[in-house]
Amino acid sequence: MARVQVSLKSEQGLRADLSHANSQVDDGRVYILGIGNIGKLFAHSLAKKRLPPSMTLLTKATHTTAAISTIKHRLNEQSTILFTQNGMGLLQEVSEQLFPDTKSRPSYVASLVSHGLSSVSAFSSVHAGIGAAIIGFLSCGEPHDAKTDGSGLPPSSEPSRYLIQQILDTPSLAGKEVSSDEIIKAQMEKLIMNAMINPLTVIFDRRNGELFGHSKIQSLMQLLLGEASLVPRALPELQDYAGLASRFSPDRLERVVMNIAEINANNRSSMLQDVQAGKQTEIDYINGYIVKRGEQLGIGCVHNRTLVNMVIENRVINESQIEEFFPPGHGSH
């Protein structure tokens, strides 16, 4: 197997780079779509690894499906796509739009990264805080009914197994493998944390630590959280988890939200930064996913829907206007 090359590009750069590629046989290149801090961390950590061909690592939800389409001709059932971005619902979108045939669909692996990273320049980041990268196998966003050694991988996913092992063997990533249902629980918990902080920083135009010192904003967060917490507790794929109700109880989730907001009090959320830079946000994959899954489960997350629309419209309000947009008594029941 040839030594892997890492191609670190923006989505636009990737399209230009592959515009003349036609359908040549892949040379074992790792394509990292998005040049954010996590993309740089994975590129640096895996640059000297020997990985299976057609490996694609993703670090942004926005425009990901369009970016993957530029290298779709290089991907098949022996390929692996590693998703590391915020939000949920993207795996289903990629499958429906790009890989509807399950026989030729790449394997999907998801990772949640908690390393502290800060940007220095477009192609340079500082690894400021050691965290971890949990990783697990997914099949179109649902747990795979693996009948193997309990690894969570089907028998045909040797490239995925090899990729996971390489990440686990890379000290700078501090990887830990978890089961497919655990990765979904971790994704859902992180999704709700982002959903309770990021969009509120946008509609109130404030840093994380400037939100919940105001009782009306905290009450709004509790209202949104009451809706959102119903969704993971109703997911069919998580019903075998004995601790589901307690892990996703509104009280526990609120404590986690408040702790994260306090730890990152001086930060501007990534969503607020996107809005201020005139970029598209990931709201459709965060609160938008909560609304969509809620509808599928018969849970009407009307306040979260309102919040999605406000972020899309770039609407900014103050505490006195909260009841105008989020009238009491119009909940999910």
Side-chain angles (χ1 to χ4, degrees), residues 19 47 53 69 86 89 122 143 156 161-163 170 172 185 197 231 257-258 271 321-322 327 331-332:
S19 61
S69 68
N86 289 329
S156 61
R161 161 55 50 201
Y162 189 81
L163 169 65
T170 303
S172 60
K185 286 180 283 190
I197 297 176
V231 174
V257 169
M258 298 295 286
M271 190 174 291
Q321 298 173 285
I322 289 177
S332 58

Side-chain angles (χ1 to χ4, degrees), residues 127 138 206-207 214 300-301 320 323 327:
H127 193 178
L138 296 174
R206 297 180 182 179
R207 294 177 182 268
H214 301 267
C301 300
S320 66
E323 290 191 2

Side-chain angles (χ1 to χ4, degrees), residues 213-263:
H214 301 267
S215 61
K216 290 185 177 181
I217 297 179
Q218 184 171 351
S219 295
L220 173 58
M221 182 268 287
Q222 293 168 341
L223 187 67
L224 295 163
L225 188 56
E227 291 181 348
S229 65
L230 295 173
V231 174
R233 285 182 280 159
L235 290 175
E237 59 266 32
L238 297 183
Q239 293 309 302
D240 291 337
Y241 174 45
L244 185 63
S246 60
R247 179 166 180 172
F248 290 99
S249 70
D251 288 344
R252 177 188 172 273
L253 292 173
E254 182 179 351
R255 290 194 297 271
V256 178
V257 169
M258 298 295 286
N259 184 55
I260 291 175
E262 182 178 354
I263 291 173

Side-chain angles (χ1 to χ4, degrees), residues 32-316:
I32 299 180
L33 310 189
I35 55 175
N37 290 325
I38 295 177
K40 296 168 196 168
L41 175 65
F42 272 82
H44 174 77
S45 300
L46 298 176
K48 295 183 179 180
K49 293 288 185 177
R50 294 169 61 85
L51 300 178
S54 302
M55 201 68 64
T56 306
L57 289 81
L58 306 174
T59 57
K60 290 183 66 178
T62 313
H63 306 311
T64 294
T65 301
I68 296 177
S69 68
T70 63
I71 56 171
K72 178 184 175 183
H73 62 282
R74 292 174 174 259
L75 303 175
N76 55 39
E77 68 278 3
Q78 294 300 314
S79 306
T80 299
I81 302 179
L82 171 62
F83 295 85
T84 65
Q85 68 275 58
N86 289 329
M88 296 181 70
L90 188 56
L91 279 70
Q92 294 89 341
E93 178 182 304
V94 168
S95 292
E96 292 171 3
Q97 297 187 23
L98 301 181
F99 305 107
D101 183 0
T102 58
K103 294 181 180 179
S104 59
R105 180 181 297 162
S107 296
Y108 298 151
V109 175
S111 179
L112 273 70
V113 179
S114 61
H115 291 277
L117 300 156
S118 59
S119 294
V120 176
S121 65
F123 294 97
S124 179
S125 295
V126 174
H127 193 178
I130 301 299
I134 64 169
I135 187 167
F137 179 84
L138 296 174
S139 179
C140 196
E142 306 296 339
H144 194 281
D145 184 18
K147 299 179 176 63
T148 57
D149 58 1
S151 66
L153 296 176
S156 61
S157 294
E158 292 182 6
S160 299
R161 161 55 50 201
Y162 189 81
L163 169 65
I164 288 176
Q165 193 58 51
Q166 293 303 304
I167 291 175
L168 296 177
D169 291 342
T170 303
S172 60
L173 292 177
K176 177 185 178 183
E177 184 177 5
V178 299
S179 64
S180 52
D181 62 337
E182 180 58 35
I183 199 75
I184 289 180
K185 286 180 283 190
Q187 284 182 316
M188 282 300 308
E189 185 167 316
K190 183 176 181 181
L191 178 82
I192 292 174
M193 299 305 103
N194 286 330
M196 295 303 108
I197 297 176
N198 290 11
L200 292 183
T201 66
V202 171
I203 68 168
F204 293 107
D205 192 21
R206 297 180 182 179
R207 294 177 182 268
N208 297 356
E210 297 172 340
L211 289 174
F212 304 130
H214 301 267
S215 61
K216 290 185 177 181
I217 297 179
Q218 184 171 351
S219 295
L220 173 58
M221 182 268 287
Q222 293 168 341
L223 187 67
L224 295 163
L225 188 56
E227 291 181 348
S229 65
L230 295 173
V231 174
R233 285 182 280 159
L235 290 175
E237 59 266 32
L238 297 183
Q239 293 309 302
D240 291 337
Y241 174 45
L244 185 63
S246 60
R247 179 166 180 172
F248 290 99
S249 70
D251 288 344
R252 177 188 172 273
L253 292 173
E254 182 179 351
R255 290 194 297 271
V256 178
V257 169
M258 298 295 286
N259 184 55
I260 291 175
E262 182 178 354
I263 291 173
N264 300 290
N266 294 323
N267 293 357
R268 289 180 303 139
S269 74
S270 58
M271 190 174 291
L272 179 57
Q273 292 181 56
D274 284 341
V275 169
Q276 292 175 339
K279 297 179 180 179
Q280 182 179 355
T281 73
E282 295 179 318
I283 190 69
D284 287 335
Y285 300 96
I286 301 178
N287 299 73
Y289 179 80
I290 291 171
V291 172
K292 180 179 179 180
R293 287 296 276 154
E295 288 178 344
Q296 294 170 349
L297 296 165
I299 302 169
C301 300
V302 295
H303 294 306
N304 277 274
R305 179 185 295 279
T306 297
L307 187 57
V308 169
N309 292 335
M310 292 178 72
V311 170
I312 292 174
E313 296 168 3
N314 197 17
R315 187 180 294 273
V316 177

